[in-house]
C-alpha cells in the first residue's frame, strides 16, 4: 500500500519493521486480548502442534483487534487505517510535532 499525506509526502507499507507504523488495540479490547494470551499459555497442550495452534490463535486475534497507524515523517500527520479500507488523518496540536511517535522502544535494532 502507498498513499500521500496532504503535505505531498508518500507513505509506504511495503515491508516490515517500519519506524513510522504502529498497531493499535482499543482499550475496550486490550484486557480481553491479555486474557486470551493467558488462556493460550495455560491451556496449550504439550505437543508442538498444540503450541503452534495456541500461537496462531493469538496472532489471529492480534491482527483482528488491531488497527494500523502511520505517521508522516515530513509533517507528523497521523493516519489510522481501518477496515473496510479507509484512512483517517489527524494533525498534531503542536507546531513542532514529534515525528518519531512509533519508533521502537528497543531502538533501531
Amino acid at each position: 500500500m502507498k498513499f500521500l499525506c496532504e503535505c505531498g509526502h508518500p507513505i509506504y507499507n511495503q515491508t516490515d519493521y517500519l519506524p513510522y507504523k504502529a498497531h493499535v488495540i482499543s482499550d475496550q479490547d486490550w484486557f480481553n486480548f491479555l486474557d486470551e494470551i493467558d488462556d493460550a499459555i495455560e491451556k496449550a497442550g504439550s505437543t508442538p502442534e498444540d503450541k503452534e495452534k495456541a500461537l496462531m490463535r493469538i496472532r489471529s486475534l492480534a491482527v483482528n483487534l488491531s488497527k494500523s497507524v502511520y505517521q508522516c515523517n515530513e509533517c507528523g500527520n497521523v493516519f489510522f487505517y481501518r477496515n473496510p479500507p479507509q484512512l483517517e488523518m489527524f494533525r498534531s496540536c503542536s507546531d513542532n510535532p514529534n515525528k518519531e511517535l512509533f519508533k521502537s522502544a528497543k531502538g533501531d535494532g
Side-chain angles (χ1 to χ4, degrees), residues 1-103:
M1 176 174 76
K2 171 188 168 188
F3 60 93
L4 290 177
C5 179
E6 72 175 9
C7 75
H9 185 72
I11 299 172
Y12 298 94
N13 181 25
Q14 297 174 331
T15 186
D16 295 328
Y17 303 103
L18 297 171
Y20 52 86
K21 180 181 178 184
H23 303 275
V24 176
I25 297 176
S26 75
D27 195 51
Q28 293 173 320
D29 294 324
W30 181 245
F31 292 101
N32 291 334
F33 180 62
L34 294 177
D35 289 343
E36 288 287 336
I37 292 171
D38 291 345
D39 190 55
I41 291 169
E42 291 169 4
K43 294 181 180 175
S46 58
T47 68
E49 292 81 15
D50 291 337
K51 293 178 194 281
E52 178 69 19
K53 185 177 175 181
L55 288 171
M56 294 310 292
R57 190 174 106 211
I58 296 304
R59 285 178 181 232
S60 176
L61 187 61
V63 168
N64 289 326
L65 294 179
S66 67
K67 296 172 184 75
S68 296
V69 185
Y70 304 87
Q71 185 179 35
C72 178
N73 314 12
E74 290 295 315
C75 69
N77 285 340
V78 173
F79 296 84
F80 282 76
Y81 181 79
R82 302 174 2 161
N83 280 324
Q86 177 183 358
L87 280 172
E88 299 212 21
M89 187 187 83
F90 296 86
R91 289 183 193 88
S92 175
C93 59
S94 169
D95 291 336
N96 188 22
N98 176 353
K99 297 176 189 170
E100 296 183 343
L101 289 175
F102 306 139
K103 194 170 184 177

